[in-house]
Amino acid sequence: VPAPLQALRTQVMERIDPRAAVEMPVARVRDQLERLVHEVAGQQRVEISATDQAQLAQELVDDMLGFGPLEDLLRDDSISDIM
């Protein structure tokens, strides 16, 4: 992960309350994280596309509320076993 994106990820994580996030619907958490990623990227002047912003927000949701990097595999219907 490029250093500016890692720094962006860290700054976004510092601004959220994981305890509040677990009480919200996943879609709402994702929407709020997308807005926060956009806001922090603008403040820090990090150039990141809207697609990459959405992907970063989804990764953060997966890390906070799911099984992190395994979530992509769990969402893939063609995968039946993860060892």
Side-chain angles (χ1 to χ4, degrees):
V1 176
L5 290 183
Q6 185 59 41
L8 176 61
R9 180 186 184 98
T10 300
Q11 291 172 10
V12 169
M13 289 297 290
E14 289 173 353
R15 294 187 183 193
I16 56 175
D17 180 1
R19 292 174 299 208
V22 298
E23 300 295 325
M24 291 187 264
V26 174
R28 184 170 175 212
V29 173
R30 185 176 38 253
D31 290 344
Q32 289 188 353
L33 281 171
E34 284 181 17
R35 285 194 295 273
L36 187 56
V37 167
H38 178 74
E39 177 184 316
V40 173
Q43 290 172 349
Q44 300 301 318
R45 305 211 189 291
V46 175
E47 290 188 29
I48 181 173
S49 70
T51 301
D52 287 342
Q53 288 179 28
Q55 181 179 350
L56 177 55
Q58 183 62 53
E59 288 173 6
L60 292 169
V61 169
D62 291 348
D63 288 348
M64 290 171 39
L65 304 177
F67 294 104
L70 293 177
E71 285 297 321
D72 282 340
L73 300 172
L74 294 170
R75 283 190 283 270
D76 187 338
D77 291 335
S78 69
I79 296 176
S80 61
D81 194 18
I82 302 172
M83 295 187 168

